[in-house]
């Protein structure tokens, strides 16, 4: 585990599929440790246990579902929060305790749930306030950094909607994060700490990558 902020840790880099690199993130929130996304292995379980385990896990979309979901629940007794639109796909791997549908402006775990369909029907972003007042935005695959220093997005052929993705990115434009964190990424890191005006540039870059 790599500590990113006083209250935020990143799991090791993993490649569950060729060309795909991912992290999960452990955030120490007001009601316990929250795991965003899903690690591809149990290699960091001991380190997570030492940091206080996991009280809840939040998935951004169905691509993060797999056998690790049940192993996380079994190990830590955590509650799984996941998009309601993708319960069938996610539920094959683990029981979803809290299906997420509409936007929730800061739930009991301190998480602002922001549905952002487009990459998939249930794609969801999460915004939290860190211990120093910084806003961390977890974007899943709705948008991600490239190796060229820009942000992009991706539509899976035969799945998702370009129109919905554009609308979701415009919704994210209204959010003002200080740190933005994707799950999968193409480059050296999934994280960017934003300077003044940078977030609007990131949104514009991601919008330019949406197919017409």
């Amino acid at each position: 585990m790599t500590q990113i902020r006083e209250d935020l840790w990143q799991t090791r880099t993993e490649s569950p599929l060729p060309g795909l690199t991912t992290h999960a993130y452990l955030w120490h929130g007001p009601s316990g440790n929250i795991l965003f996304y899903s690690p591809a292995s149990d290699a960091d379980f001991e380190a997570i246990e030492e940091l206080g385990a996991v009280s809840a896990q939040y998935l951004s979309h169905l691509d993060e579902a797999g056998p690790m979901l049940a192993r996380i629940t079994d190990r830590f007794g955590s509650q799984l929060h996941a998009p309601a639109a993708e319960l069938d796909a996610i539920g094959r791997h683990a029981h979803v305790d809290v299906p997420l549908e509409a936007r929730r402006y800061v739930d009991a775990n301190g998480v602002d749930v922001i549905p952002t369909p487009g990459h998939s029907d249930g794609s969801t972003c999460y915004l939290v306030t860190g211990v120093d007042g910084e806003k961390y935005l977890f974007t899943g695959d709705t948008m991600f950094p490239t190796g060229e220093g820009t942000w992009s997005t991706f539509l899976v052929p035969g799945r998702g909607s370009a129109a919905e993705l554009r609308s979701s990115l415009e919704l994210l434009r209204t959010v003002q994060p200080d740190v933005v964190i994707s799950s999968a990424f193409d480059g050296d890191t999934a994280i960017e700490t934003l300077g003044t005006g940078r977030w609007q540039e990131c949104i514009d870059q991601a919008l330019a990558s949406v197919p017409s």
Side-chain angles (χ1 to χ4, degrees):
M1 300 287 285
T2 302
Q3 189 166 11
I4 305 299
R5 292 291 192 273
E6 183 179 343
D7 57 346
L8 185 65
W9 291 262
Q10 173 183 272
T11 63
R12 67 190 61 200
T13 302
E14 295 181 295
S15 298
L17 296 170
L20 177 65
T21 47
T22 66
H23 294 292
Y25 292 85
L26 189 72
W27 173 59
H28 184 67
S31 61
N33 285 342
I34 309 300
L35 184 65
F36 290 101
Y37 315 142
S38 187
S41 75
D42 62 1
D44 287 314
F45 276 17
E46 291 296 332
I48 290 171
E49 190 80 64
E50 291 175 4
L51 288 168
V54 178
S55 61
Q57 181 180 14
Y58 286 70
L59 294 191
S60 72
H61 66 303
L62 78 173
D63 291 342
E64 296 162 7
M68 291 308 301
L69 296 183
R71 297 190 67 180
I72 290 166
T73 299
D74 290 345
R75 175 67 180 266
F76 303 113
S78 51
Q79 283 201 326
L80 180 60
H81 299 237
E86 297 172 352
L87 284 185
D88 287 347
I90 296 170
R92 297 189 190 107
H93 301 282
H95 172 70
V96 176
D97 300 287
V98 184
L100 305 173
E101 295 183 82
R103 184 167 184 182
R104 300 185 180 187
Y105 292 90
V106 188
D107 65 12
N109 293 318
V111 180
D112 184 351
V113 176
I114 309 172
T116 50
H119 174 73
S120 70
D121 291 342
S123 285
T124 303
C125 296
Y126 303 107
L127 184 70
V128 304
T129 301
V131 68
D132 292 325
E134 284 187 311
K135 301 284 189 179
Y136 311 150
L137 178 65
F138 298 89
T139 61
D141 285 353
T142 296
M143 56 187 294
F144 53 86
T146 71
E148 286 74 45
T150 62
W151 284 74
S152 185
T153 190
F154 179 68
L155 275 178
V156 179
R159 189 187 82 181
S161 161
E164 284 192 328
L165 185 51
R166 290 190 198 95
S167 294
S168 293
L169 290 169
E170 291 294 355
L171 172 61
L172 290 180
R173 187 189 294 278
T174 68
V175 176
Q176 296 298 322
D178 299 294
V179 183
V180 59
I181 307 166
S182 69
S183 54
F185 59 99
D186 177 17
D188 296 328
T189 181
I191 303 172
E192 183 173 341
T193 300
L194 304 170
T196 303
R198 174 59 179 153
W199 181 233
Q200 301 306 315
E201 293 178 356
C202 295
I203 294 294
D204 289 340
Q205 291 164 356
L207 280 167
S209 72
V210 179
S212 58

